[in-house]
Amino acid sequence: MSALSNSNWDRRTVLRAAMGLAAAGGLAACGSNTGRGSGGGDALVQYFHAYGEAGTEQAIKRYAKAYKDANVATQWITGSNFESKLFASLLTKEAPDLFEFHPQIQLIKSGQVADLTDIVEPVKDDFNQADIASHTVDGKIYGVRMIDDPQFFFYRKSMLEKANVEVPQTLDELLEAAAKLTTDKVKGVYLGNTLQAVIRPMIWAAGADTLNDKNEPAYHTDAVVDGIKQMRKLFTSGDLLLGAPADYWDPSALVQGLTAMQFCGMWAMPVMQEALGDDLGIFPFPKVGDAGKPSVYNGGWSMFVNAKGDRVDEAKEYVKWLWIDNKEYQEDWALSYGFHIPPRTSIAESADKLKSGLPAEGVKLFNEFGHFDNIGWTQAMIKATEDVFADAVRKDADPEAALDKCDKVVNAELKKLFG
């Protein structure tokens, strides 16, 4: 498989922009086969962000073509602003009938996404129950998970052996390892160009959480403050790769020898294995502080139906056909273009590619240390924690003050959403 695309788009973390639906301008048609945007007015239109793995666009269009009950046109949206194009389009008559995104409660509260309980309920027990929980509000299921994407550190075994470095078990040890692994040609570790991908893994690894089960902030703890201070120390150490040609989701930094350790996702594992063979290991985000525990963020993508569209029932039928009934395509999507864990238990259990070696280790970390999206953790909250890292890690603001600022945004959002 060819290397992932070299765009600098952080495409795998929950998307960047704050969620104000009116914040973006109009949508230009992107890619081919664009349905409504190119005169195909009779087609159901689906939006996908541009995956980096080779063959993904062709696969999604191949599935659509195989559907006999309606024409389905795909907008394959390239560039760094999928979410702004998606949410701008949802305000117009060019809005898609269905689209991929992540479970977030404001989509439900605003009536933007359709209730899919009737199509998911009959097979609910065959889904990873954490995926069902992350898409459920008041007993109703909104969205169908297509793939789960665990994220962890990949490392070059030979580089650690040469530097006499053990696999880090704590964030302190990660900093020490990065220092020992850094040479004049290689940096010790790469966390992506913005560091945004590791914010939630670090919060969880500190024994904290984004929200608790009462939808109250749970991230502002002493251990998280200590973690932020350690991240600042790493950022200024000279041991962190900064300004790499591609962001964390692309395996090129590790494959090209720019770094000894890289935070990335399981989707990149086949490309890394092809390039590095057995010289490749993985470990979770290491624990932060004594009360911490290693963590793995399970990102991924889900399919939603636009409840404000005029073809809701037809769109639901297509979602049911592809993402509920058609296990052959679900397996193909999860395992043929990079490695993703199928959210359907029956498919995951029969997936031979994930049963041995490094993929099996990835599944083990996913099961043991995995954290899934919290549907109450919204785009504005995500942005607020990114601002904490921007201020306190990349600049030198006081972590407590940065978290206080974050608290104001998060509490205002929570009040708006939950009263």
Side-chain angles (χ1 to χ4, degrees), residues 73-217:
T74 303
Q75 289 235 15
W76 191 257
I77 295 171
T78 58
S80 60
N81 55 349
F82 171 70
E83 76 290 339
S84 61
K85 287 181 175 175
L86 170 62
F87 289 107
S89 76
L90 290 173
L91 297 172
T92 72
K93 63 179 186 294
E94 296 293 307
D97 300 290
L98 54 155
F99 57 90
E100 65 168 2
F101 201 60
H102 316 280
Q104 292 193 2
I105 199 164
Q106 74 278 19
L107 289 169
I108 295 155
K109 296 267 187 182
S110 66
Q112 188 67 67
V113 294
D115 174 7
L116 303 183
T117 311
D118 57 334
I119 65 172
V120 180
E121 186 73 44
V123 294
K124 186 171 81 168
D125 292 345
D126 189 40
F127 273 87
N128 185 312
Q129 292 306 293
D131 279 323
I132 293 293
S134 71
H135 292 70
T136 301
V137 175
D138 297 332
K140 294 178 178 175
I141 303 166
Y142 299 85
V144 181
R145 196 63 150 186
M146 301 181 293
I147 45 174
D148 283 321
D149 279 335
Q151 300 170 21
F152 23 68
F153 283 92
F154 291 79
Y155 66 94
R156 299 281 294 270
K157 289 180 179 177
S158 58
M159 289 184 179
L160 269 68
E161 281 163 21
K162 189 178 175 187
N164 202 23
V165 168
E166 296 290 321
V167 173
Q169 305 296 313
T170 66
L171 187 54
D172 275 332
E173 289 177 12
L174 182 74
L175 268 68
E176 289 166 17
K180 288 179 184 170
L181 290 162
T182 298
T183 69
D184 55 353
K185 292 187 177 68
V186 180
K187 292 292 185 184
V189 65
Y190 182 48
L191 305 175
N193 287 327
T194 62
L195 314 191
Q196 290 165 344
V198 298
I199 297 172
R200 274 177 287 177
M202 193 212 78
I203 289 169
W204 294 317
D209 207 341
T210 51
L211 302 173
N212 63 21
D213 55 9
K214 295 177 182 172
N215 288 312
E216 299 163 338

Side-chain angles (χ1 to χ4, degrees), residues 349-364:
E349 284 173 352
S350 66
D352 289 339
K353 289 178 180 178
L354 304 181
K355 282 187 175 170
S356 61
L358 208 61
E361 280 186 53
V363 173
K364 187 169 182 285

Side-chain angles (χ1 to χ4, degrees), residues 227-400:
I228 292 169
K229 288 176 179 172
Q230 286 170 292
M231 297 300 289
R232 171 67 186 168
K233 190 176 164 190
L234 177 61
F235 186 77
T236 56
S237 66
D239 305 323
L240 182 67
L241 177 63
L242 298 166
D247 216 331
Y248 87 101
W249 55 264
D250 186 301
S252 56
L254 192 78
V255 167
Q256 293 170 11
L258 304 179
T259 186
M261 302 182 288
Q262 176 178 343
F263 191 78
C264 194
M266 193 157 154
W267 58 82
M269 198 180 273
V271 171
M272 290 188 184
Q273 286 183 305
E274 192 178 318
L276 303 173
D278 293 333
D279 189 23
L280 188 64
I282 55 174
F283 62 91
F285 196 98
K287 72 174 192 168
V288 179
D290 294 336
K293 186 182 177 184
S295 74
V296 170
Y297 172 48
N298 292 325
W301 292 87
S302 308
M303 186 51 61
F304 298 91
V305 169
N306 177 11
K308 297 180 179 179
D310 53 11
R311 301 174 70 183
V312 173
D313 290 339
E314 288 175 83
K316 281 176 67 172
E317 280 301 316
Y318 178 66
V319 171
K320 179 180 183 296
W321 173 81
L322 179 52
W323 300 113
I324 301 289
D325 298 339
N326 201 317
K327 287 192 172 186
E328 181 192 340
Y329 288 162
Q330 291 161 42
E331 182 176 18
D332 181 63
W333 186 238
L335 299 168
S336 298
Y337 318 95
F339 288 157
H340 314 264
I341 295 178
R344 298 291 288 274
T345 313
S346 57
I347 300 175
E349 284 173 352
S350 66
D352 289 339
K353 289 178 180 178
L354 304 181
K355 282 187 175 170
S356 61
L358 208 61
E361 280 186 53
V363 173
K364 187 169 182 285
L365 294 181
F366 167 87
N367 288 328
E368 197 172 345
F369 302 121
H371 293 264
F372 289 69
D373 288 314
N374 182 327
I375 199 166
W377 190 247
T378 68
Q379 213 63 36
M381 299 176 197
I382 292 162
K383 173 71 166 59
T385 55
E386 289 172 356
D387 289 345
V388 171
F389 260 52
D391 292 343
V393 176
R394 296 168 70 192
K395 298 171 192 165
D396 197 18
D398 173 57
E400 285 285 4

